[in-house]
Amino acid sequence: MNTTPHPPPLNPLRLVLLLLSLLPAAYYAWGLAADTLGANPIEALSRGLGIWTLNFLLLTLCITPLRKLSGWHWLLRLRRQLGLTAFAYGVLHFLAYVWLDQFWDLDAIARDILKRPFITLGFAAFVLLWPLALTSNQRAIRHLGGKRWQELHRMVYAIAILGVAHYLWLVKRVALLDPILYAIALAVLLGWRIQARLRLAGPWPVRSAPPVVQPVVFMPKRPQGKLPLPPGH
Amino acid sequence: MLIRPPADILPSEITSQALFLQRRRLLQSLGAGAALAGLGQDLWAAPEGRPTLGPLSASPYSSQEKTTPLASVTSYNNFYEFGSAKEDPARQAPGRLKTHPWSVAVEGEVKHPRVYDIDSLLKLAPLEERIYRLRCVEGWSMVIPWVGFPLAELIRRVEPTGNAKYVEFVTLADPAQMPGVRSPLLEWPYVEGLRLDEARHPLTLLAVGLYGEVLPAQNGAPIRLVVPWKYGFKSAKSIVRIRFVAEQPRTTWVKAGPSEYGFYSNVNPAVDHPRWSQATERRIGEFRKRPTLPFNGYAEQVADLYRGMDLRRFF
């Protein structure tokens, strides 16, 4: 059933996932229309879309560990869809900022991005999502070749780090609990990968021959230094 | 996220109208002062059950702008003693905060230090309605019809000595009533402060109510400060101590983030918060943002207090 590479069949599982993925968007659309998002609906919408971008990013990152741990290889077929959903929520989150927060004042937006580190981080994550979204199809994989495609898509680790740092830096320190939970979840997901890499490299390298272990580069670009925290915090 | 929390109130718990009216009549028969003294916790909690304050005189300081709906004023609050989400105070405070009996110690560099109970504060000076703009440092604003009296009335009565240069406001920090106080992220109790001339300014209000009724718990019951030309966090809630001091008080947010929050914290569109611009604000209930005004639109009344000061340095 799964021998034809494209078009990918929209199997029931993916259809269910698609419908579930639309629920948060539907909740906010309904909330805006029915005025049930509280006293500051625009803030609730903006924040909510950002949170769901992170949720879907982290879900995307769950697929590989889950698949390896459970042996359910069909999970892989959900990964692209989850990633694209994260991208879609990221676009909506960015649109909410550009439109409802800045009202297309491009000067103010440019100043914000340059001047405010938390916006710089969020914007960087948003920009880096594009090449991944645009190459999330069979044709791009064939065009780039599996290895290069995979290398490109490892950028998702950097994107997730940038996204969580964006969240951490945004909130006041009394409200740090939620972003810290996201940071922990991300650390677990990335930590699992590092550990898996180390295991793959062998429990201990053969001493007679130089190890043929590739350096562990799990992301092409790191945000400078450690996870940034608000100044004075 | 999508699962709605169960309703806070079961139908069976809602006071029937007959009983409510009966209570109302009882309260009325007790007279206003005595009624406030005998208030039950549930009456402070129920939005429709808050006693009205009056008679109120109108104030020339009131704004003519459209007021923010009561539902927004009482459901979108920063009151970290009850949690850091905007909805937390409305959920947590009404059932927990015991606002009666309540006393406020007025002390320090004054000739007549005194502990006031809330009933005597309510009778200290004629109550006025003051419709003020409130600008939060986070970039949103409201227009709120407060009920209260000028802080200057209290200051006059206790007579500060020549050493008094600042006024410090200490607010309640009771972990039994306030779940947020268990969080170590801010230093409790919450402390705010004003320069003595700011505290004496006729715009500076001690508020005991809003929308003609006693203050809802989540808005800082039973008595709070309102300084309309400063960012909202300067207006300390649920005050238990007012101290007159010689040195500038070390206030909570300045201790938490000295680069982000200053002692003065006058509303100033020209001085950004390090993480966001203060040039515009979203008035709650409005779609488009509006420009933020210097001193929140009260420059005419208060700019003189800061003549010769570099407001970028003293932000």
Side-chain angles (χ1 to χ4, degrees):
Chain A
M1 175 203 155
N2 204 29
T3 47
T4 45
H6 67 100
L10 188 64
N11 66 28
L13 190 66
R14 286 226 292 262
L15 185 64
V16 168
L17 181 64
L18 177 68
L19 293 175
L20 286 175
S21 310
L22 288 174
L23 281 179
Y27 168 84
Y28 287 106
W30 168 258
L32 277 188
D35 196 15
T36 56
L37 293 181
N40 196 346
I42 292 173
E43 181 191 61
L45 173 78
S46 260
R47 292 272 175 109
L49 291 171
I51 287 290
W52 280 98
T53 308
L54 281 180
N55 287 345
F56 280 107
L57 262 178
L58 293 185
L59 281 174
T60 311
L61 291 177
C62 283
I63 293 293
T64 297
L66 266 183
R67 183 172 65 99
K68 294 264 169 72
L69 293 173
S70 67
W72 298 341
H73 295 291
W74 52 265
L75 280 171
L76 194 59
R77 278 183 276 157
L78 303 180
R79 192 173 66 179
R80 177 187 294 165
Q81 191 176 322
L82 283 169
L84 285 170
T85 308
F87 172 71
Y89 276 96
V91 169
L92 290 174
H93 178 58
F94 181 75
L95 269 179
Y97 164 73
V98 167
W99 183 24
L100 303 175
D101 215 50
Q102 300 289 354
F103 291 94
W104 303 100
D105 182 346
L106 298 183
D107 265 3
I109 294 167
R111 257 180 287 130
D112 245 9
I113 291 172
L114 292 174
K115 209 173 146 184
R116 308 196 198 285
F118 94 88
I119 295 187
T120 316
L121 295 175
F123 184 71
F126 174 70
V127 170
L128 293 179
L129 272 171
W130 279 88
L132 304 202
L134 293 174
T135 56
S136 284
N137 54 69
Q138 296 303 118
R139 227 178 56 184
I141 296 174
R142 270 201 312 275
H143 184 76
L144 288 168
K147 197 165 178 267
R148 275 170 65 203
W149 183 90
Q150 205 177 9
E151 270 163 18
L152 174 66
H153 278 249
R154 287 209 181 102
M155 206 150 63
V156 72
Y157 307 135
I159 291 167
I161 291 172
L162 288 168
V164 170
H166 165 67
Y167 187 19
L168 269 170
W169 207 325
L170 157 79
V171 300
K172 287 195 233 182
R173 53 193 245 158
V174 281
L176 271 177
L177 181 64
D178 287 351
I180 285 174
L181 293 178
Y182 276 85
I184 291 171
L186 180 62
V188 168
L189 290 169
L190 295 184
W192 182 88
R193 286 170 165 82
I194 293 171
Q195 207 216 355
R197 273 287 173 120
L198 294 176
R199 256 203 321 268
L200 204 73
W204 32 75
V206 185
R207 278 176 198 268
S208 54
V212 278
V213 182
Q214 292 211 336
V216 180
V217 181
F218 69 91
M219 47 179 188
K221 216 192 243 174
R222 263 178 189 278
Q224 321 87 322
K226 55 184 177 0
L227 272 191
L229 277 169
H233 281 198
Chain B
M1 185 103 206
L2 297 175
I3 300 168
R4 289 195 152 273
D8 298 335
I9 304 172
L10 295 170
S12 59
E13 285 173 352
I14 296 173
T15 311
S16 75
Q17 198 186 4
L19 185 59
F20 174 74
L21 290 174
Q22 201 184 321
R23 283 186 192 166
R24 257 286 143 99
R25 275 197 299 277
L26 177 70
L27 286 179
Q28 281 160 356
S29 69
L30 288 169
L36 283 169
L39 272 173
Q41 189 79 26
D42 57 336
L43 275 180
W44 290 82
E48 69 282 15
R50 276 194 305 275
T52 54
L53 294 162
L56 306 175
S57 53
S59 166
Y61 291 115
S62 278
S63 158
Q64 304 301 308
E65 288 163 276
K66 187 173 162 286
T67 55
T68 305
L70 177 65
S72 295
V73 174
T74 56
S75 67
Y76 192 77
N77 308 101
N78 280 326
F79 195 172
Y80 289 144
E81 284 84 340
F82 293 99
S84 60
K86 293 282 186 298
E87 322 80 66
D88 286 340
R91 277 194 209 129
Q92 306 282 350
R96 292 169 195 258
L97 183 65
K98 191 166 158 32
T99 54
H100 209 275
W102 188 278
S103 57
V104 180
V106 184
E107 57 188 40
E109 297 288 348
V110 289
K111 293 200 184 112
H112 314 292
R114 190 186 149 178
V115 177
Y116 287 88
D117 65 64
I118 188 67
D119 301 307
S120 59
L121 283 171
L122 285 165
K123 288 177 286 194
L124 187 101
L127 294 181
E128 297 173 39
E129 177 165 83
R130 295 269 184 111
I131 304 172
Y132 280 164
R133 291 176 291 275
L134 172 94
R135 169 62 156 81
C136 178
V137 71
E138 296 168 343
W140 52 268
S141 63
M142 294 184 179
V143 180
I144 303 176
W146 301 106
V147 176
F149 57 88
L151 175 61
E153 291 281 349
L154 178 70
I155 296 178
R156 192 164 59 80
R157 282 167 175 78
V158 296
E159 287 189 60
T161 68
N163 290 333
K165 297 283 182 286
Y166 294 90
V167 189
E168 180 184 76
F169 303 87
V170 181
T171 76
L172 184 69
D174 176 7
Q177 299 177 62
M178 301 169 143
V181 174
R182 286 170 224 150
S183 145
L185 293 163
L186 275 187
E187 235 181 274
W188 310 110
Y190 190 89
V191 172
E192 257 311 334
L194 296 172
R195 227 167 50 190
L196 187 58
D197 57 343
E198 296 176 323
R200 274 188 167 135
H201 192 278
L203 280 174
T204 305
L205 197 71
L206 274 177
V208 295
L210 57 81
Y211 270 103
E213 298 177 337
V214 299
L215 268 183
Q218 61 268 39
N219 294 88
I223 188 162
R224 66 169 292 170
L225 189 64
V226 179
V227 194
W229 72 92
K230 292 176 181 282
Y231 292 119
F233 68 86
K234 293 295 292 181
S235 296
K237 301 183 181 82
S238 304
I239 295 168
V240 293
R241 195 142 42 95
I242 299 176
R243 278 182 65 215
F244 292 77
V245 292
E247 303 291 324
Q248 180 174 303
R250 296 205 62 227
T251 55
T252 299
W253 280 105
V254 173
K255 279 187 278 187
S259 64
E260 302 198 334
Y261 308 99
F263 175 77
Y264 285 94
S265 288
N266 294 317
V267 175
N268 189 346
V271 176
D272 285 350
H273 186 280
R275 285 180 283 152
W276 55 84
S277 160
Q278 296 290 27
T280 60
E281 68 200 50
R282 172 163 282 122
R283 179 72 49 87
I284 294 301
E286 290 181 356
F287 178 64
R288 287 208 72 111
K289 287 189 166 180
R290 47 167 76 216
T292 289
L293 303 174
F295 299 106
N296 201 20
Y298 297 96
E300 210 181 300
Q301 290 94 331
V302 302
D304 270 358
L305 292 172
Y306 310 101
R307 208 168 17 197
M309 275 174 72
D310 178 0
L311 295 177
R312 291 192 164 272
R313 204 177 137 219
F314 298 101
F315 59 93

